[in-house]
Amino acid sequence: MKSTDGNFTLNLGGQIQADFVSTHINNINGLLNHINDLRLDLRRARINITGSLYKDWHYRFENDFGGNGFDDNLGIKNPVLTNGFFKFTGFKSVNFVLGYQKVPFSLESIVGNNWTTFQERSLTNSFINNSVIGRRRLGVVIETFGDRWIHWAAQTGFYGAGFSNIGQSTDNWGASGRITFAPIAKPNQVIHIGGSIYYRDFEHSPNLSFIVSPESHLTDQLIGTNIAETKNTLILNGEISTVLGVFHAQSEYTDTQIERKNNSQVNFDGWYTQAGYFLTGESRNYIPRKGVYGQTNPNHPINQGGWGAWEIAVRYSTIDLNNKGIYGGEEHNLTLGMNWWITHNALLRANYIYAIADNNDQILSSVQDHVDIFMMRAQLNF
C-alpha cells in the first residue's frame, strides 16, 4: 500500500520453511548404535510488515510462529519477535537503525536464512547464537558505505539485553563492529574481505552456555559446555569470500575470549570453509553496500518455462571448546548440499552432514560420536 504523495508505504511479506531430518549416531566403541525417528519441523513461519514514513524513515517488524515439530500444534507456536526496528536514511551514506535487530557480526550470520548456501549455519555460529550473547539485540546501529575507489561497508552498534529481558539492559550490555572491503564487486566477479568484533559485558556474572548444534536444529547437541562466573566476552571474526562466475566460496575464523570473575581467561575458536557451483549458469548475488549476499535469482525460473537454478556445495567446519580446564568437546563436520531454486521465491534443498564429535565433558573418559545426518527443506518466501 502507498499513499498518493508517496510519503507512506506498507508491505506485507513472510516466509515458510518446512524441514525433515534423519539422524544416525554411532559410538566409536560400539556401545551406541541407533537411528532417530524421522523428525519433521516447521522451522520458520514468519510474517513481516515493512515500509517507509516520509521517505527517509523505514521500518521492519517481524514475528516467527514456527519452531515446533508437526506433531505439536502442526508446528505453530506463540509468536516470537525476530525484527522490530526503524531506520533513518536521510543522510547520503550514513544510516541509523534503532530497535531489535541483528548484531552486525560475521558474514554467515548477517546473510538472511533464505539466501544461505546450506540449510543451517556452520558450527562457529554457536558462539553468538545463544540467549546470553545473542545474534539479535535491542540497540542502535550506525551504517555507512562508500564506492569511490573501492567498495566498502561498515556498521557499529551498542546494545542492551535481549528483547525478552529488557530490564537487564543496563546490567548486560554489548558493542560490536563490522567492516568489509570489496576490491572487485561485479555481477559475476567478487572479492570480499572483512572483519568483526563483538564485546559483551555481564554485570551479574551469569553462567555462559555454549550449546553446539551439529548444523541440524532437529539433532541433539553432540558437544557443549557451561562456564560459571563469566565477566565478559570478546569475539573476533575474520571473513573472506569470492565469486568467479558460477563458482563461489567463503571462509571465516572466529576466536572467542571469555574472562571470568577470578580474572582467568578461556579461549575457544572455530572456522569453516565452503564452496558452491551453479550448474545452470547463475552467480551468487553480492550487495557491496552491505557486504552481504542477497537473493538468488534463477536465470530461467520454472514458472517461465525453465529449469530453475541448480547449485551444488560443500562445507567443512570445526569448533573447539577445550581450554584451560574447560572440556566442552571438539567437533568436525563435512556437509554436502544441493539447492534447487525453483523460482525467485521457492526453493527445495537437501544436505548430508558427516559429523565427528569428541565429547570430553568427563575428563577421564572421552567419547567420540560418528553421526550421519540427512536433511531436506521446502521454502517459500514472499
Side-chain angles (χ1 to χ4, degrees):
M1 294 183 288
K2 184 177 181 179
S3 63
T4 55
D5 59 6
N7 285 328
F8 303 94
T9 65
L10 184 147
N11 305 282
L12 179 65
Q15 66 177 143
I16 298 173
Q17 295 176 349
D19 292 0
F20 80 84
V21 175
S22 175
T23 305
H24 183 192
I25 302 177
N26 285 294
N27 183 273
I28 196 170
N29 58 20
L31 296 179
L32 176 65
N33 187 343
H34 72 272
I35 300 176
N36 289 353
D37 292 335
L38 181 67
R39 296 188 180 184
L40 303 175
D41 181 45
L42 188 63
R43 179 67 169 99
R44 295 178 178 93
R46 296 182 179 179
I47 297 294
N48 64 68
I49 297 175
T50 62
S52 59
L53 307 170
Y54 294 106
K55 298 181 180 179
D56 291 334
W57 286 94
H58 303 265
Y59 59 86
R60 181 181 182 92
F61 293 88
E62 180 181 70
N63 277 319
D64 189 0
F65 296 84
N68 282 355
F70 281 110
D71 57 349
D72 185 2
N73 297 324
L74 297 178
I76 300 174
K77 66 177 183 181
N78 293 330
V80 175
L81 184 70
T82 52
N83 283 292
F85 58 81
F86 291 92
K87 177 186 286 190
F88 179 72
T89 60
F91 301 113
K92 184 177 181 181
S93 58
V94 178
N95 301 328
F96 295 87
V97 189
L98 177 64
Y100 189 66
Q101 58 192 293
K102 275 188 178 181
V103 175
F105 180 88
S106 167
L107 173 62
E108 182 183 47
S109 178
I110 290 293
V111 171
N113 58 73
N114 278 325
W115 322 126
T116 56
T117 302
F118 296 92
Q119 191 158 324
E120 300 292 342
R121 295 179 173 92
S122 72
L123 294 172
T124 60
N125 180 65
S126 302
F127 284 131
I128 66 169
N129 191 28
N130 62 61
S131 60
V132 179
I133 298 175
R135 179 201 307 282
R136 288 181 170 87
R137 283 294 179 253
L138 187 66
V140 58
V141 172
I142 302 173
E143 304 175 337
T144 185
F145 54 86
D147 56 8
R148 178 170 296 182
W149 297 287
I150 187 175
H151 290 279
W152 63 273
Q155 307 92 29
T156 185
F158 181 85
Y159 317 92
F163 191 82
S164 61
N165 50 1
I166 297 178
Q168 300 177 15
S169 295
T170 57
D171 299 329
N172 181 351
W173 62 271
S176 75
R178 178 174 181 258
I179 186 167
T180 64
F181 300 93
I184 300 176
K186 299 178 180 179
N188 59 358
Q189 190 175 9
V190 175
I191 294 178
H192 164 100
I193 302 170
S196 309
I197 183 172
Y198 187 7
Y199 173 85
R200 182 157 286 278
D201 183 84
F202 306 109
E203 180 70 19
H204 294 299
S205 304
N207 293 339
L208 178 58
S209 296
F210 289 106
I211 300 175
V212 179
S213 166
E215 298 172 356
S216 166
H217 73 288
L218 291 178
T219 301
D220 296 337
Q221 73 174 88
L222 303 178
I223 64 172
T225 189
N226 184 70
I227 304 173
E229 298 295 311
T230 305
K231 188 176 180 181
N232 59 63
T233 60
L234 178 66
I235 311 178
L236 306 174
N237 177 270
E239 58 191 61
I240 186 170
S241 182
T242 189
V243 174
L244 298 173
V246 296
F247 174 81
H248 61 85
Q250 72 184 55
S251 183
E252 295 188 75
Y253 172 79
T254 304
D255 179 73
T256 300
Q257 303 171 15
I258 304 162
E259 186 175 354
R260 306 177 74 177
K261 201 169 183 179
N262 60 7
N263 293 323
S264 65
Q265 182 174 295
V266 179
N267 285 73
F268 298 145
D269 68 348
W271 60 274
Y272 75 89
T273 187
Q274 67 181 53
Y277 187 91
F278 283 96
L279 302 174
T280 45
E282 289 78 8
S283 292
R284 202 172 185 198
N285 178 23
Y286 183 70
I287 306 173
R289 289 192 171 190
K290 296 183 178 180
V292 301
Y293 290 100
Q295 182 172 1
T296 297
N297 296 305
N299 292 334
H300 306 286
I302 198 169
N303 59 340
Q304 297 179 11
W307 290 92
W310 287 83
E311 179 187 20
I312 55 175
V314 60
R315 177 176 67 193
Y316 177 82
S317 64
T318 181
I319 190 170
D320 187 354
L321 301 182
N322 299 325
N323 187 253
K324 296 182 179 179
I326 303 295
Y327 298 93
E330 186 174 353
E331 185 172 340
H332 310 269
N333 283 15
L334 176 65
T335 304
L336 304 177
M338 174 169 284
N339 300 319
W340 181 25
W341 305 88
I342 304 172
T343 67
H344 300 287
N345 304 97
L347 164 71
L348 292 176
R349 70 163 93 233
N351 284 182
Y352 165 75
I353 302 170
Y354 178 67
I356 300 177
D358 290 298
N359 190 335
N360 296 310
D361 280 336
Q362 297 180 1
I363 300 175
L364 297 180
S365 61
S366 175
V367 177
Q368 187 179 80
D369 294 324
H370 290 227
V371 184
D372 296 283
I373 305 170
F374 179 71
M375 308 190 297
M376 293 191 70
R377 169 174 294 173
Q379 172 179 302
L380 177 68
N381 65 280
F382 58 92

